[in-house]
Amino acid sequence: MRSVLSLAASALALTLVAAPALAQDAATIERAETVRDAAMERNIALDYVTQLTTRFGPRPAGSKSEQNAAAWAADYMRAQGFRNVRIEEFPLVGWERGEESASIVGARPQRLVVAALGHSPGTNGVIEAPVARFDSLEDLNAAPAGSLAGKIAYIDAGQMVRMQNGSGYGPLSRIRAAGPAAAAAKGAVAFIMRSAGSDEHRMPHTGTTRYVEGRVPVPAFALSAPDADQVSRLIGMDETVTLRLSSTAHTYETVSQNVIGEIVGRSRPEEVIVLGSHMDSWDLGTGAIDDGAGGAITLAAAKAIAESGRRPARTIRVVLYGSEEVAQPTDTGNGGGAYLRGVGAALEKHVIAGESDFGADRVYALGLPPGAQTSDFARAAAQVLYPIGVLPSPDPELHGGVDIGPLAGAGVPVFGLNQDGSRYFDLHHTADDTLDKIDPAQLNQNVAAWAGLVWLIADSDVDFRAMRPAEAAAH
Amino acid sequence: MRSVLSLAASALALTLVAAPALAQDAATIERAETVRDAAMERNIALDYVTQLTTRFGPRPAGSKSEQNAAAWAADYMRAQGFRNVRIEEFPLVGWERGEESASIVGARPQRLVVAALGHSPGTNGVIEAPVARFDSLEDLNAAPAGSLAGKIAYIDAGQMVRMQNGSGYGPLSRIRAAGPAAAAAKGAVAFIMRSAGSDEHRMPHTGTTRYVEGRVPVPAFALSAPDADQVSRLIGMDETVTLRLSSTAHTYETVSQNVIGEIVGRSRPEEVIVLGSHMDSWDLGTGAIDDGAGGAITLAAAKAIAESGRRPARTIRVVLYGSEEVAQPTDTGNGGGAYLRGVGAALEKHVIAGESDFGADRVYALGLPPGAQTSDFARAAAQVLYPIGVLPSPDPELHGGVDIGPLAGAGVPVFGLNQDGSRYFDLHHTADDTLDKIDPAQLNQNVAAWAGLVWLIADSDVDFRAMRPAEAAAH
């Protein structure tokens, strides 16, 4: 029987024999802290996102720009020492905005600032029709059948509620998804809505609406908040508001792609931790916070770990997914679905997956997989993350996000480093999503959090599948 | 010899005999305080600016929209009890933006967000040319003759310095005025500049550039700050940036107009105090802060005085000037010039003029005419304004602003109620100049300051011309 050793000495012994470390070992924690601090000090995130957004600008899913950016990112990964860098191509129905305009017509004409919703059809010429306004999707759904024939249905459900965790988005994105079909069902010729956003700028927020077999039933547009105010005020003044809408939006056949690269594990290379984010952006801005930043953060965290002087036991794979923005809830035609299909039997060796897709503001909470929250690993992670302002989230992380959703659905545990979304929906899906909106200090904190946490997982044998409660595992 | 009365009793006596009050009388001050407080509580400013900006939207100088708004404003004045309401028409060369676009072309094309500068000519098709970047107007002026042949000259002088008094605007508006001619002098085919603004949004700031005989030598555009960043960063990455510019901007013959109404003086109606602001706006926004607010503030102040239960001795005239935005420094073709020409011999009975043209944020300082700053009047004004956060400005008010500049040049004393301009140049001349940017509480404080101060002047015999130092009077 072995004598009892101190924890530090035990950890040292484990290191010396190169046996799998425990994430909660003092030595592993100490190395995670070192990686964390080095990443906070110096990392490639700002360089990557600066080059990506400046050289390529907007990167709509399936566009030439997204394709060019993917080729460049693969080269960037190689130059940074990533291995097994590859581009995984998949077919996509792309959507192009073309030209669009909207104005109030009549005796006192005014232009409005609008943006077609993703996958909206064009207007095939011009639509000119009076506006029927509703306060909610429920009110629109309650309108009598045929009552909107020849009209433009307008939902103004008010400004998004500003929340740190972004949960104000749900009610408004639901309107964006379901609004066009609801309008068409009542006979409307087009659908317009107040943008799903928390700002008060002339910045409409685009985003994909629900399509069935690639088809949205009527042209659909988001108005900027001041334009939504204006239309609602005019209607409140008992003016009949007639709009002229035009859009040359259309879909086209194309390809998109995932860009994949690895820091290959030292001793258990077949065990894979998948980090990443999406490469595509909406067409109005340059996709800095949505989501050049996420790729920058995860790439920079993996690179910081690689540079720590000790390659971790497990493989860290960074995936820059294609075409996240156009994904539908039940769709696997985007980058996340393509990645899952390419994984095959290696799926069971996927230790965990994480996605950074909520801007570049600081991480404030860590969500772990069900079962892991009261584990020794959770205590070790808390020790590494607390000094940089990250607390444990009380909610288990179940789905991760759009890109790793297919992995999560296939049984891979997921984690989340939750970012402060207080100002995210001021910028999200607008022309204002540009590099200057990234705060370099907060970007660094993100990289440090990812690097410290991922180190704990990568240079250990922590097994999140084994921690899973019976119900969750059976799911 | 009269016995010595208390100041209050003396003021009362003056009131009873209806002799001209002194602005510094206790009774006059007290009534000014009452008017101030009533105006703070309830006034028509928000109603006026809401209707103006909502019903008419943008009101470019000489446009049908400005004309419609003027007719409506005259009716509004009449309905509010103003007398001698009239519209004073004058000829104008208008400018229409038409359609415009800009993009980086080449292997990695990107759209840019730009706005043609006022009076810029159209591109007559498309201009496609490489960009030559300069840090300043001085650097552009120092370029060798002919060195910009076939190029687009670009001045990126950095973000405007944010100042409470707005003085960060000077250096950048100088570039806007002189840039196109400087570019043309070196052979450039077009001129672009970082917007004269303090924000970081995709919001280009338009504004008139210098024209001689109605002509700007080359097409000229402002880039939004993020777009200026983008172009400068690409050039910094040693990329050759080639732009494609197009604009259908053009000038046209039209008319503009001043809208004039009065609160007629009780006992000295020929003595006139001129308040006002401009009715026109730039075409991108709805001209809420520039300058629906100024008309709202001055109209509401005059109305608050009219409602005080005692009509003041002197006439208060509100002028809603036409076509301020397109005025040139030496030009009298705008509303201010037309007003001066219409005044004739009554000019000498113009007691003072004031203009509100710096948004709707709170007033923080009062600038009085030269000579008045150490007067009893100044002390009375300070007493009325200090409780609502307004201090005496150490600088004498010499010029007033664009609209009352012609009056000032003709010898009429001017005053200024200086507004906090800290966020004014975030919005100025952009699409974002909309009603929601007006803070109703600060708008009310403006009305209260104007009402209290103007009462002091209107119901007294204060004579600013008599206070003028010899040099200033001779000027």
Side-chain angles (χ1 to χ4, degrees), chain B residues 338-364:
Chain B
Y339 176 77
L340 175 63
R341 284 191 296 278
V343 160
L347 186 69
E348 67 190 51
K349 293 290 192 180
H350 276 55
V351 176
I352 198 164
E355 172 178 350
S356 174
D357 188 14
F358 203 45
D361 281 352
R362 73 189 174 85
V363 170
Y364 69 96

Side-chain angles (χ1 to χ4, degrees), chain A residues 53-57 99 108 110-111 200-203 226 230 233 239 284 431-432 435-437, chain B residues 53-57 99 108 110-111 200-203 226 230 233 239 284 431-432 435-437:
Chain A
T53 58
T54 304
R55 293 188 189 279
F56 302 95
E99 303 297 327
R108 297 167 181 173
Q110 304 180 29
R111 280 201 189 195
E200 266 289 348
H201 293 296
R202 293 299 279 291
M203 292 283 171
Q230 186 82 333
R233 265 196 311 269
E239 303 252 0
L284 301 172
D432 231 1
L435 182 65
D436 51 284
K437 308 310 182 304
Chain B
T53 59
T54 304
R55 293 188 189 280
F56 303 94
E99 303 296 327
R108 296 169 182 172
Q110 304 180 28
R111 281 201 188 193
E200 265 289 348
H201 294 295
R202 293 298 279 291
M203 292 283 171
Q230 186 83 332
R233 265 196 312 268
E239 303 251 2
L284 301 173
D432 231 2
L435 182 64
D436 51 284
K437 308 311 182 302

Side-chain angles (χ1 to χ4, degrees), chain B residues 398-443:
Chain B
L398 289 170
H399 308 297
V402 170
D403 286 322
I404 60 172
L407 285 178
V412 176
V414 298
F415 69 94
L417 280 163
N418 304 334
Q419 294 166 286
D420 189 328
S422 300
R423 66 182 186 121
Y424 185 67
F425 290 108
D426 291 351
L427 306 168
H428 180 250
H429 295 187
T430 73
D432 231 2
D433 178 2
T434 49
L435 182 64
D436 51 284
K437 308 311 182 302
I438 292 181
D439 170 3
Q442 295 193 69
L443 184 69

Side-chain angles (χ1 to χ4, degrees), chain A residues 183-321:
Chain A
K186 305 296 180 180
V189 294
F191 171 77
I192 62 173
M193 66 179 286
R194 177 187 288 268
S195 280
S198 50
D199 63 300
E200 266 289 348
H201 293 296
R202 293 299 279 291
M203 292 283 171
H205 297 241
T206 189
T208 284
T209 182
R210 190 178 301 150
Y211 50 85
V212 179
E213 292 171 4
R215 209 175 152 271
V216 176
V218 291
F221 299 83
L223 278 67
S224 87
D227 292 273
D229 290 344
Q230 186 82 333
V231 171
S232 289
R233 265 196 311 269
L234 275 170
I235 291 171
M237 290 175 181
D238 288 330
E239 303 252 0
T240 299
V241 177
T242 298
L243 296 188
R244 182 179 296 148
L245 301 171
S246 90
S247 159
T248 61
H250 58 277
T251 55
Y252 66 108
E253 304 280 324
T254 185
V255 293
S256 182
Q257 60 286 305
N258 298 325
V259 184
I260 305 171
E262 295 173 354
I263 307 298
V264 178
R266 185 185 74 245
S267 53
R268 311 165 81 162
E270 72 289 358
E271 295 183 12
V272 175
I273 298 153
V274 180
L275 317 182
S277 175
H278 63 89
M279 165 76 67
D280 63 314
S281 77
W282 278 103
D283 56 335
L284 301 172
T286 63
I289 67 144
D290 187 15
D291 189 24
I297 289 162
T298 50
L299 267 179
K303 167 80 173 170
I305 288 171
E307 278 184 335
S308 70
R310 172 185 165 107
R311 196 142 51 86
R314 290 162 158 172
T315 291
I316 299 170
R317 182 175 295 163
V318 178
V319 185
L320 303 172
Y321 300 92

